Amino acid sequence: MAEEPESGLQLPPSSTTDGEGPTEVSPETATPEPPSSAAVSPGTEEPAGDTKKKIDVLLKAVGDTPIMKTKKWAVERTRTIQGLIDFIKKFLKLVASEQLFIYVNQSFAPSPDQEVGTLYECFGSDGKLVLHYCKSQAWG
Amino acid sequence: MTDDKDVLRDVWFGRIPTCFTLYQDEITEREAEPYYSFPEKDLLHCPSKDAIEAHFMSCVKEADALKHKSQVINEMQKKDHKQLWMGLQNDRFDQFWAINRKLMEYPAEENGFRYIPFRIYQTTTERPFIQKLFRPVAADGQLHTLGDLLKDTCPSAITPEDGEKKNQVLIHGIEPMLETPLQWLSEHLSYPDNFLHISIIPQPTD
């Protein structure tokens, strides 16, 4: 398994969505990022202080769901769960019709329109939000 | 003898090959009706009753994660979860509360839940809602109030001392007093998903 970089990798900006699922709310002060191709870029330096735009997310596979080569990501606070699901599905090359479930605290599945920033505020620990993902309903 | 209706019926069912031409003055320049399509950006799909049940139970679990570190909800059996949902679905108050009351308890040595499950909805922002960690009891043992919550999460909603009241803070369509303890509100005025859904709207000017 390749060594993971120290800093989280940057999630591609939301402008490349398929139009399925809810749009993410755009951060008011952000300048529009140029849409990048699927290529992943190293995380940029975050300004110090409480209002980091990006939060660290650690993705863990459940059961026989394929494991992502890169597990640690820096994600915009306003990225929705649906956006994250779409991203993981693309990354794992899952078919659009296949379902993917995401769980927090190995206990509940957040609503697809929920922002990861809110989940990080409420359920993050050690500076990151751990999310389990599964192709079937793992925790009901 | 065939009449117009019969001919029309045959045309309708494609039994008579037909070609229609419109005269120029029958053609009006009009914008095409916008095609109704599912508002993907505003609504979640609702594929089945099971999906609603799963969504509801997830909300209850999230609330309990905040209130009790998920201990109470996890100690329940699957049939208790089912009863919670069936009570809500079939509008059975006693059936629902037989289980829900357990979610409203807290250890005797504490003065309330660990954190209060709440979401604040505002008209003035693009954000879907505000949800943060907020304790019902302060370090000195005082119960936090609704006003304390607002001061911490959206201070602009609070009317300044001499100022004019600009907003209404609503739960279930009513304005609770800002001095109401948050713990009490959480136990008694939560929605069935165990969250306090708080709306802040501009003060009506009638």
Short mmCIF file of all heavy atoms in Angstrom, two decimals, chain A residues 45-70:
data_model
loop_
_atom_site.label_atom_id
_atom_site.label_comp_id
_atom_site.label_asym_id
_atom_site.label_seq_id
_atom_site.Cartn_x
_atom_site.Cartn_y
_atom_site.Cartn_z
N GLU A 45 -1.76 25.09 1.95
CA GLU A 45 -1.59 25.49 3.35
C GLU A 45 -2.84 26.19 3.83
O GLU A 45 -3.33 27.08 3.16
CB GLU A 45 -0.41 26.45 3.47
CG GLU A 45 0.91 25.78 3.22
CD GLU A 45 1.88 26.04 4.36
OE1 GLU A 45 1.67 27.03 5.10
OE2 GLU A 45 2.81 25.27 4.52
N GLU A 46 -3.35 25.79 4.95
CA GLU A 46 -4.56 26.41 5.47
C GLU A 46 -4.19 27.58 6.36
O GLU A 46 -3.23 27.51 7.12
CB GLU A 46 -5.36 25.40 6.28
CG GLU A 46 -5.96 24.29 5.44
CD GLU A 46 -6.93 24.83 4.40
OE1 GLU A 46 -7.55 25.87 4.67
OE2 GLU A 46 -7.04 24.23 3.33
N PRO A 47 -4.94 28.69 6.30
CA PRO A 47 -4.66 29.78 7.23
C PRO A 47 -4.97 29.33 8.66
O PRO A 47 -5.89 28.56 8.88
CB PRO A 47 -5.63 30.88 6.79
CG PRO A 47 -6.67 30.20 6.02
CD PRO A 47 -6.05 28.99 5.40
N ALA A 48 -4.16 29.80 9.58
CA ALA A 48 -4.38 29.41 10.97
C ALA A 48 -5.67 30.04 11.48
O ALA A 48 -6.13 31.03 10.97
CB ALA A 48 -3.21 29.89 11.81
N GLY A 49 -6.26 29.43 12.47
CA GLY A 49 -7.48 30.01 13.05
C GLY A 49 -8.63 29.04 13.00
O GLY A 49 -8.52 27.94 12.46
N ASP A 50 -9.76 29.44 13.59
CA ASP A 50 -10.88 28.52 13.72
C ASP A 50 -11.60 28.26 12.42
O ASP A 50 -12.20 27.22 12.23
CB ASP A 50 -11.91 29.10 14.71
CG ASP A 50 -11.32 29.23 16.09
OD1 ASP A 50 -10.47 28.40 16.43
OD2 ASP A 50 -11.70 30.16 16.81
N THR A 51 -11.59 29.24 11.53
CA THR A 51 -12.49 29.09 10.38
C THR A 51 -11.76 28.57 9.15
O THR A 51 -11.86 29.11 8.08
CB THR A 51 -13.15 30.44 10.04
OG1 THR A 51 -12.10 31.42 9.97
CG2 THR A 51 -14.13 30.82 11.11
N LYS A 52 -11.02 27.46 9.34
CA LYS A 52 -10.43 26.76 8.19
C LYS A 52 -11.56 26.41 7.25
O LYS A 52 -12.60 25.92 7.66
CB LYS A 52 -9.83 25.43 8.67
CG LYS A 52 -8.40 25.50 9.03
CD LYS A 52 -7.68 24.16 9.00
CE LYS A 52 -8.47 22.97 9.45
NZ LYS A 52 -7.52 21.94 9.91
N LYS A 53 -11.30 26.62 5.94
CA LYS A 53 -12.36 26.29 5.01
C LYS A 53 -12.50 24.78 4.88
O LYS A 53 -13.57 24.28 4.61
CB LYS A 53 -12.04 26.89 3.65
CG LYS A 53 -12.19 28.39 3.61
CD LYS A 53 -13.27 28.81 2.63
CE LYS A 53 -13.14 30.27 2.28
NZ LYS A 53 -11.92 30.48 1.47
N LYS A 54 -11.39 24.10 4.99
CA LYS A 54 -11.44 22.66 4.76
C LYS A 54 -11.27 21.89 6.07
O LYS A 54 -10.61 22.35 6.99
CB LYS A 54 -10.31 22.25 3.80
CG LYS A 54 -10.49 22.76 2.40
CD LYS A 54 -9.66 21.94 1.43
CE LYS A 54 -10.05 22.17 0.00
NZ LYS A 54 -9.61 23.47 -0.51
N ILE A 55 -11.89 20.74 6.10
CA ILE A 55 -11.74 19.88 7.28
C ILE A 55 -11.18 18.53 6.81
O ILE A 55 -11.33 18.16 5.65
CB ILE A 55 -13.08 19.67 8.00
CG1 ILE A 55 -14.14 19.13 7.03
CG2 ILE A 55 -13.56 20.96 8.62
CD1 ILE A 55 -14.92 18.00 7.58
N ASP A 56 -10.55 17.83 7.72
CA ASP A 56 -9.97 16.53 7.38
C ASP A 56 -10.99 15.43 7.58
O ASP A 56 -11.63 15.34 8.63
CB ASP A 56 -8.75 16.26 8.26
CG ASP A 56 -7.56 17.13 7.86
OD1 ASP A 56 -7.52 17.54 6.67
OD2 ASP A 56 -6.71 17.40 8.70
N VAL A 57 -11.12 14.61 6.57
CA VAL A 57 -12.05 13.50 6.62
C VAL A 57 -11.27 12.21 6.42
O VAL A 57 -10.43 12.12 5.54
CB VAL A 57 -13.13 13.63 5.53
CG1 VAL A 57 -13.99 12.37 5.47
CG2 VAL A 57 -14.00 14.85 5.79
N LEU A 58 -11.55 11.22 7.26
CA LEU A 58 -10.92 9.91 7.12
C LEU A 58 -12.01 8.93 6.72
O LEU A 58 -13.02 8.77 7.41
CB LEU A 58 -10.29 9.49 8.46
CG LEU A 58 -9.50 8.18 8.47
CD1 LEU A 58 -8.32 8.27 7.53
CD2 LEU A 58 -9.01 7.88 9.89
N LEU A 59 -11.79 8.28 5.56
CA LEU A 59 -12.81 7.38 5.04
C LEU A 59 -12.44 5.93 5.32
O LEU A 59 -11.34 5.50 4.97
CB LEU A 59 -12.97 7.59 3.53
CG LEU A 59 -13.47 8.98 3.13
CD1 LEU A 59 -13.41 9.15 1.62
CD2 LEU A 59 -14.88 9.21 3.62
N LYS A 60 -13.36 5.20 5.93
CA LYS A 60 -13.08 3.80 6.24
C LYS A 60 -14.12 2.91 5.58
O LYS A 60 -15.33 3.16 5.70
CB LYS A 60 -13.13 3.59 7.76
CG LYS A 60 -12.01 4.29 8.50
CD LYS A 60 -11.96 3.87 9.95
CE LYS A 60 -10.64 4.27 10.58
NZ LYS A 60 -10.56 3.94 11.98
N ALA A 61 -13.65 1.85 4.94
CA ALA A 61 -14.56 0.93 4.25
C ALA A 61 -15.16 -0.05 5.24
O ALA A 61 -14.53 -0.41 6.24
CB ALA A 61 -13.81 0.19 3.15
N VAL A 62 -16.37 -0.47 4.97
CA VAL A 62 -17.05 -1.45 5.82
C VAL A 62 -17.32 -2.70 5.01
O VAL A 62 -17.72 -2.62 3.85
CB VAL A 62 -18.39 -0.89 6.33
CG1 VAL A 62 -19.13 -1.95 7.16
CG2 VAL A 62 -18.17 0.35 7.17
N GLY A 63 -17.10 -3.85 5.64
CA GLY A 63 -17.42 -5.12 5.00
C GLY A 63 -16.59 -5.34 3.76
O GLY A 63 -15.38 -5.08 3.74
N ASP A 64 -17.26 -5.76 2.67
CA ASP A 64 -16.50 -6.08 1.46
C ASP A 64 -16.50 -4.91 0.48
O ASP A 64 -16.22 -5.08 -0.70
CB ASP A 64 -17.07 -7.33 0.80
CG ASP A 64 -18.54 -7.14 0.43
OD1 ASP A 64 -19.10 -6.08 0.76
OD2 ASP A 64 -19.13 -8.05 -0.18
N THR A 65 -16.81 -3.72 0.98
CA THR A 65 -16.75 -2.53 0.12
C THR A 65 -15.29 -2.26 -0.22
O THR A 65 -14.42 -2.36 0.65
CB THR A 65 -17.34 -1.32 0.85
OG1 THR A 65 -18.53 -1.71 1.51
CG2 THR A 65 -17.62 -0.18 -0.10
N PRO A 66 -15.00 -1.91 -1.48
CA PRO A 66 -13.61 -1.65 -1.85
C PRO A 66 -12.99 -0.54 -0.99
O PRO A 66 -13.65 0.42 -0.63
CB PRO A 66 -13.70 -1.19 -3.31
CG PRO A 66 -15.07 -1.49 -3.76
CD PRO A 66 -15.93 -1.79 -2.60
N ILE A 67 -11.73 -0.74 -0.68
CA ILE A 67 -11.02 0.23 0.15
C ILE A 67 -10.41 1.29 -0.75
O ILE A 67 -9.82 0.98 -1.78
CB ILE A 67 -9.91 -0.47 0.96
CG1 ILE A 67 -10.53 -1.56 1.84
CG2 ILE A 67 -9.15 0.54 1.82
CD1 ILE A 67 -9.52 -2.39 2.59
N MET A 68 -10.56 2.54 -0.34
CA MET A 68 -9.98 3.62 -1.14
C MET A 68 -8.48 3.69 -0.92
O MET A 68 -8.00 3.62 0.21
CB MET A 68 -10.63 4.95 -0.75
CG MET A 68 -12.07 5.01 -1.20
SD MET A 68 -12.84 6.57 -0.88
CE MET A 68 -12.05 7.65 -2.02
N LYS A 69 -7.72 3.86 -2.00
CA LYS A 69 -6.26 3.93 -1.88
C LYS A 69 -5.87 5.11 -1.01
O LYS A 69 -4.96 5.03 -0.21
CB LYS A 69 -5.63 4.10 -3.26
CG LYS A 69 -5.43 2.83 -4.02
CD LYS A 69 -4.08 2.85 -4.74
CE LYS A 69 -3.80 1.51 -5.40
NZ LYS A 69 -4.34 1.45 -6.77
N THR A 70 -6.57 6.22 -1.21
CA THR A 70 -6.33 7.38 -0.37
C THR A 70 -7.50 7.51 0.59
O THR A 70 -8.64 7.61 0.16
CB THR A 70 -6.24 8.66 -1.23
OG1 THR A 70 -5.29 8.44 -2.27
CG2 THR A 70 -5.80 9.83 -0.39
#
